[in-house]
Amino acid sequence: MKRLLLMLLLAWLSISFYSGIWLFMSGFLLMRIELGNQSQCSSPPSAAPHLQDARCWFPQRFDKAVIVIIDALKYDFAKYNPENDNPKPYENKLGEIHRLCSAQPRHARLYPFRADPPTTTMQRIKGFTTGSLPTFVDLGSNFASYAIQEDNLIHQMVSNGKRVVFMGDDTWDGLFPKKFYKSYFFPSFNVKDLHTVDDGILQHLYPTVDGGDWDVIIAHFLGVDHCGHKHGPDHPETAKKLMQMNQVIASLIEHLDDKTLLVVAGDHGMTDTGDHGGDSEKEVTAALFLYSKAPLFAEQLKTEAPAVPQVNLVPSLSLLLGLPIPYSNLGGVIDDLFGWPEDKVSALLSKTTAYHINVQQVARYLDSYSRAAGDLPAEKLRALADLFTSLTSEYEQLMSQRDQLSEEELEIHLQRILQRQQSYLDQARHVCMESWARFHPMHMLMGCIILLTSCFFCYIIAEAGSVLSLPYKNLLGYPLLFTISVTSALGLAVWTSGLALDLVTVCAAATLIFQISFYFNFQAKKSSPSRRQTHPVYLLLSGPCVVLLFRCCSLFSDSYVVAEGSVAPFLLTSLLTVTVVKLHWDGKLLLPTFTPLGSESLKPSLTPAYRRDGSRLMWLLAALGICVRLSGFFHNCREETPDCQPSSFLSPLSSIRDPDIKNVSYVFCVVFLGFMVFLVRKWLQHYGNLNIASPLVLYVRWGFPLIVLGIACYWAVSSGTEDSLAKLKELTHLALVACPRAIYAMAGLGLLLILWNPITVFMKSRVSDPDNTVTTYRGAPSSEAELQHVIPQIYRKMQRTLKSRLQHGGEGEDGKKGVSVEAYGLGSVYSAAMVITLSILTLVLILLHSERMTPAFLLLLLEAVIILHIHGHVTNLYSEGVELFSVPWYSVLAWSLAATQNFYSTGHQPVFPAIHWNSAFVGFQEGHTNNIVPALLVAANTFSANILFSGNSL
């Protein structure tokens, strides 16, 4: 019965935590409704009287278009500064763009291209094909692209008879399945592969352009983006890839005619470390280059072109190619592209007409969306509707009277309408952006309350349950039955009344009912002597719970979240320092102090053991502080801290240009790795392990060095530059795949050996005497086998032997003298298996990180050992009232803070741009056929500190 209640308790705790997380996420990850409506040439939103001869909504200007997407082409890459005598590797490499803009200003123009966050590739493709805005939840779809259901530019091209040929990033295949006339897809997820996608595009690009069997060509290059992920922007490989793109643009222009529009665009930018996904200025500022051999712009710009939102490309391309604007578009046309007539009034009339069609399309979408969803504010929609009605009336009135007005009057009216049209489009986009980025604060608040009360519930059960000595049935049974009854009644009432309540609300209500009933039952069961000790406020404000509560509350502060990597080490060292000081206050510890001569009588009368523990604890605290300080050198930066410079240790060895520095760094990394294995083996041998002939001991002696050798070989091959390894390409590729997979296999073998026989200590037993035989635990557990672990057996046998000798004057309980059990390494018989397991995991996790992060993992392990030793000394000093296997809360909190601190100290940040995507391809250079393996590798890399500290806590 007790086991059943315990299982019910664990199940209910899971429901409580999941309902809280679910409720919070329902208010945080909001989604907008995607409409299935589609625009058609036959049903324009509004017909302009002077455009009756247009085949579709607007007169077609270009018959064909070549759209070149250079992934991660930030504006700084495309901008050219001839006065820069010492450019960085990524500067002044796209000279062809600068030459065209300077020599043919009416044919070519470069714009800053503003992306809407999140700046991941799939969301950006969706943005400049549909013209819609993403929500935060769309970010998770970047790794499992689903077909776009909304109306989009590709659909309009295909529906109106355009032959669309695609080549490049296979993400487009998932977004637009079976939409292309011809397609050449190449795997895109391997960020270490700089050339496969680009070389594949170049193999098909020029023959396709010259063949003529196409109307629109889309080429998505990935080399620049992969260079950023692998090396960072400030690297010679990035310079080479940008120069290759410059040559592509120059060669492509030679193959175009006057009726073809060239569009070169970046989908997003990148940070100084080559990452993207956030909303920093460097990530959202891409580049857009437009070129045509026919005059494209009416005027020559005297200054830099203004920034263009990415969604504005959708209506602009649609009207230029004679296509309907996609139904869900929220972008506005790029007015420079619609002022091509020579005279100013005709240019203004063309712009105003394009904007009028654009405004009509956006107003139609807002009306349809507001009818389907209620997440847009009604007041702002009414204001937009009034502005739209006024604009439409003014435009139609002007078009009907334009022959009666002079050119000056018509120009004034057109300028005013044009400004109001631009204002309407900006306001409409801003309203949608605010609404789709707005959270549901009540759901988020209720989710946080449920999570907080669930944590407090666990704490009360752990602390007050032992004080009150109440059975689980009295403490949990009645609240659980009451909750089931009330929730069932509530669900029945909702079902009969026909109200629409989702599962999130039902689970949240059930959790709150249980929490309230438990606290009432808890107060009723308390006895008066323990009332103060078990009062919730007393429990909440006692011990380390204050630190835990402070940290939980601080997570609601933006400044704390940004600075958590600095605060977590401070809280960790402060918590352990206060714990040691508390021992001194309780009279359990003598801290080392200076005592003048002749005052020995003033020393406290503490035992030598207390003095020894005091010195050791002080040394351990000092060592912990040193490890925490040193681990700070391996930090990463967030986009909110522009003054922060990420650690150079985050970049791989291949990014180091100086070969001497690279070789020295490689040697140091291998030395740190070997020293780590050496310390593990010495620890095991020091505590009596590795002294028997077993497969696991053989594995530790020879398997660990082989794994280190495999990692060293992998580092040596992967740190070479592209040019130095070009002659040995096949052998290099084989080594990059074989070495990691061999390490994975060796690690798996070690884990299997631990599961099969985890004992690494020598045990001597006398088979002839059954009472003296000690057996290890093997096989499936049963009611009798649960007591057959080796340590309890040895302990009971030693206890019986010693007791018998005391009673019989040195003779054993069976009348024999000298009956004993000999065991070697008894104190580490369990921990040795865990140390070996953690060592295997550490070696694999180091493989998934940059080579120069090896010292960070050594500091992590040293920090874990120091915390364990501090916990051991504190437990020994408080051993009088501490139950066996009772873990104090300060230790749990210290372990959690250490895991958080080392999460940052291994080069991670809780932001998407800081995710180490390279880890997904360690041992899988050719890519993956599914998302499970790369997801596991990336998760292992990201949460490596949490994995290791979770293992240490066992």
Side-chain angles (χ1 to χ4, degrees), residues 460-592:
I460 289 179
I461 292 296
E463 294 295 315
S466 59
V467 175
L468 293 174
S469 300
L470 293 174
Y472 283 112
K473 182 178 67 175
N474 294 337
L475 203 58
L476 304 173
Y478 300 122
L480 191 59
L481 292 176
F482 177 75
T483 302
I484 294 174
S485 303
V486 174
T487 306
S488 301
L490 180 63
L492 183 62
V494 170
W495 181 64
T496 54
S497 62
L499 295 177
L501 285 182
D502 54 1
L503 187 59
V504 176
T505 307
V506 174
C507 291
T511 303
L512 287 177
I513 292 171
F514 175 80
Q515 304 286 3
I516 294 172
S517 60
F518 168 78
Y519 292 135
F520 275 105
N521 184 63
F522 176 72
Q523 290 288 337
K525 295 295 182 182
K526 290 192 305 181
S527 57
S528 56
S530 60
R531 181 172 296 274
R532 179 179 177 275
Q533 297 181 14
T534 59
H535 196 278
V537 177
Y538 176 82
L539 291 172
L540 192 63
L541 298 179
S542 61
C545 201
V546 177
V547 179
L548 179 61
L549 183 63
F550 170 75
R551 181 169 185 267
C552 292
C553 294
S554 300
L555 291 174
F556 291 92
S557 168
D558 289 341
S559 58
Y560 174 85
V561 172
V562 173
E564 187 181 15
S566 301
V567 178
F570 168 76
L571 292 178
L572 173 63
T573 53
S574 300
L575 175 65
L576 294 178
T577 302
V578 170
T579 302
V580 174
V581 173
K582 187 175 181 297
L583 285 173
H584 180 62
W585 289 344
D586 294 342
K588 298 287 185 179
L589 186 67
L590 176 62
L591 299 179

Side-chain angles (χ1 to χ4, degrees), residues 185-248:
F185 297 112
F186 303 97
S188 61
F189 198 53
N190 188 355
V191 294
K192 290 188 175 183
D193 186 355
L194 307 183
H195 305 296
T196 299
V197 178
D198 294 359
D199 292 346
I201 294 174
L202 295 177
Q203 183 181 355
H204 300 282
L205 179 58
Y206 303 119
T208 302
V209 173
D210 295 335
D213 190 19
W214 59 277
D215 294 302
V216 177
I217 293 178
I218 302 175
H220 191 155
F221 291 88
L222 290 176
V224 175
D225 178 68
H226 288 187
C227 272
H229 285 295
K230 185 176 182 180
H231 303 293
D234 194 9
H235 192 273
E237 291 296 333
T238 304
K240 293 178 183 178
K241 186 55 67 173
L242 287 173
M243 287 189 290
Q244 182 188 28
M245 294 298 101
N246 184 66
Q247 183 60 41
V248 168

Side-chain angles (χ1 to χ4, degrees), residues 561 564-565 634-636 899-910:
V561 172
E564 187 181 15
F634 303 90
H635 68 283
N636 204 344
T900 302
Q901 178 247 323
N902 281 279
F903 169 81
Y904 292 96
S905 299
T906 50
H908 297 96
Q909 285 282 346

Side-chain angles (χ1 to χ4, degrees), residues 229-496:
H229 285 295
K230 185 176 182 180
H231 303 293
D234 194 9
H235 192 273
E237 291 296 333
T238 304
K240 293 178 183 178
K241 186 55 67 173
L242 287 173
M243 287 189 290
Q244 182 188 28
M245 294 298 101
N246 184 66
Q247 183 60 41
V248 168
I249 296 172
S251 302
L252 192 58
I253 288 174
E254 298 176 357
H255 294 74
L256 303 181
D257 56 24
D258 293 348
K259 299 299 292 182
T260 302
L261 175 66
L262 173 63
V263 179
V264 179
D267 56 344
H268 52 74
M270 67 171 65
T271 63
D272 292 336
T273 58
D275 301 313
H276 58 88
D279 59 351
S280 67
E281 188 68 20
K282 295 179 180 180
E283 293 170 275
V284 301
T285 307
L288 172 65
F289 173 69
L290 301 175
Y291 174 80
S292 171
K293 289 190 174 181
L296 187 59
F297 306 99
E299 299 177 351
Q300 177 180 349
L301 286 180
K302 297 181 180 179
T303 60
E304 270 191 14
V308 173
Q310 280 191 353
V311 291
N312 288 11
L313 184 63
V314 175
S316 304
L317 277 180
S318 298
L319 298 184
L320 289 175
L321 295 175
L323 302 172
I325 301 176
Y327 195 92
S328 302
N329 167 71
L330 286 170
V333 294
I334 304 174
D335 57 358
D336 294 348
L337 298 172
F338 297 90
W340 58 83
E342 295 295 334
D343 61 287
K344 192 172 184 179
V345 174
S346 299
L348 277 175
L349 183 60
S350 176
K351 287 184 182 181
T352 307
T353 303
Y355 268 109
H356 175 70
I357 296 173
N358 194 182
V359 167
Q360 295 284 334
Q361 171 266 319
V362 172
R364 182 180 65 177
Y365 170 68
L366 291 179
D367 180 68
S368 301
Y369 187 86
S370 61
R371 295 175 186 272
D375 53 357
L376 296 179
E379 295 182 1
K380 294 184 177 181
L381 282 178
R382 282 194 295 268
L384 285 173
D386 294 341
L387 178 58
F388 169 73
T389 302
S390 174
L391 267 176
T392 303
S393 175
E394 185 176 0
Y395 175 81
E396 292 177 351
Q397 184 178 1
L398 180 64
M399 291 299 103
S400 63
Q401 300 177 357
R402 64 184 180 126
D403 296 334
Q404 306 171 8
L405 300 175
S406 63
E407 288 190 3
E408 291 78 8
E409 292 175 334
L410 183 59
E411 181 180 343
I412 293 174
H413 284 83
L414 288 174
Q415 288 281 13
R416 184 175 67 249
I417 292 176
L418 185 63
Q419 291 177 359
R420 296 185 66 194
Q421 289 171 334
Q422 292 172 340
S423 175
Y424 175 85
L425 292 173
D426 291 340
Q427 291 181 39
R429 183 168 174 264
H430 185 68
V431 167
C432 293
M433 187 180 298
E434 278 188 342
S435 301
W436 294 333
R438 186 179 57 192
F439 305 123
H440 198 303
M442 186 55 65
H443 280 196
M444 296 171 65
L445 179 62
M446 292 302 297
C448 292
I449 291 175
I450 291 176
L451 289 174
L452 182 61
T453 54
S454 299
C455 293
F456 189 37
F457 165 74
C458 295
Y459 183 66
I460 289 179
I461 292 296
E463 294 295 315
S466 59
V467 175
L468 293 174
S469 300
L470 293 174
Y472 283 112
K473 182 178 67 175
N474 294 337
L475 203 58
L476 304 173
Y478 300 122
L480 191 59
L481 292 176
F482 177 75
T483 302
I484 294 174
S485 303
V486 174
T487 306
S488 301
L490 180 63
L492 183 62
V494 170
W495 181 64
T496 54

